[in-house]
Structures are given as structure tokens and as C-alpha cells.
Amino acid sequence: MSNTQNTTTFFNLTVTLENGEPFFSYTNHDGTPKSGDVIITKNCTITYQLIDQTGKGLKFVGAAFMTPFDGIIDAISTDGSLIHLTDLDEVSGNTQFQFVLSNTSNTLLVLSPDPEVINREHN
């Protein structure tokens, strides 16, 4: 889990195939393995860069939230290779989501395991 007080938190999301199934792994910008979860203590943008090693032409389409109205994440944007989650840190709590990815092999969408954003009260 990464802890941030900066205005941007950056992760790499690498997708490979294991026995024909997508396998998701997260690293910090420096390549250190991480869970993909992040603890937020002030307004920031959480950015995930997609590293597709599947050969299937994966692209970020968006993110699906279990609790989309909880106010933890305020907005998302994507260009296909990067996805940005805006967290104004106005609400304490946590939210789980899954990345939604398209592929060039068929019209089916791929869902990631669920990373989590945790907003902690300001210290």
C-alpha cells in the first residue's frame, strides 16, 4: 500500500497472461512491487499507467466502483494508456473499484482485481 501526501501518486499496472487469463500486478514508478491500494491524506490525483504485456491490445476504458456515490473519488479520465483518479479528499473512508479495459482480440471487456483508495482524516 502506498501512502501519499503529494499532489500525484503514480503506479504502473502491468497485465500479463497466465494460462490464458489476465494477471494484474502493480509497481511504483521505480519498479517496487505494490498492492495498487493507496492511502490519501490530501487532495491529489492517482495515476495508473497500463503496461500491456498480453499482446491483446489492452486499453483503459474507465473504472467501475462498488460505491460510486460515496464521494471518495471525484472524477476519472483516461487516454487508454493512463487513467487518472481525482480525489479531492473531502470525504473520509474507502472505496473499491475495478479497472475496465478493452482489447483488440474481441469486443469483451476485461476487469481488474479491485485496488482500494483509502481517505484518512488530515493529521
Side-chain angles (χ1 to χ4, degrees):
M1 192 173 305
S2 183
N3 188 343
T4 184
Q5 293 185 353
N6 298 323
T7 57
T8 302
T9 298
F10 185 87
F11 291 97
N12 289 315
L13 170 58
T14 302
V15 185
T16 57
L17 291 177
E18 290 189 6
N19 299 319
E21 300 296 324
F23 177 79
F24 294 79
S25 61
Y26 298 91
T27 57
N28 279 334
H29 193 276
D30 65 3
T32 308
K34 292 294 178 182
S35 68
D37 296 348
V38 61
I39 296 173
I40 302 300
T41 57
K42 70 185 254 185
N43 178 343
C44 78
T45 299
I46 308 160
T47 298
Y48 294 84
Q49 179 177 2
L50 178 62
I51 301 170
D52 177 17
Q53 296 181 344
T54 67
K56 303 293 185 186
L58 298 180
K59 298 282 184 202
F60 283 123
V61 173
F65 290 80
M66 299 298 291
T67 54
F69 309 113
D70 60 13
I72 304 295
I73 296 299
D74 300 287
I76 63 167
S77 63
T78 184
D79 67 1
S81 63
L82 295 172
I83 191 165
H84 310 282
L85 285 71
T86 302
D87 184 348
L88 300 178
D89 196 33
E90 295 175 343
V91 176
S92 293
N94 61 316
T95 193
Q96 294 177 320
F97 61 95
Q98 292 177 279
F99 292 117
V100 181
L101 298 97
S102 64
N103 72 86
T104 57
S105 296
N106 57 43
T107 59
L108 303 179
L109 298 175
V110 179
L111 292 176
S112 72
D114 57 337
E116 186 173 39
V117 173
I118 302 164
N119 281 358
R120 297 261 169 91
E121 291 186 32
H122 304 263
N123 295 331

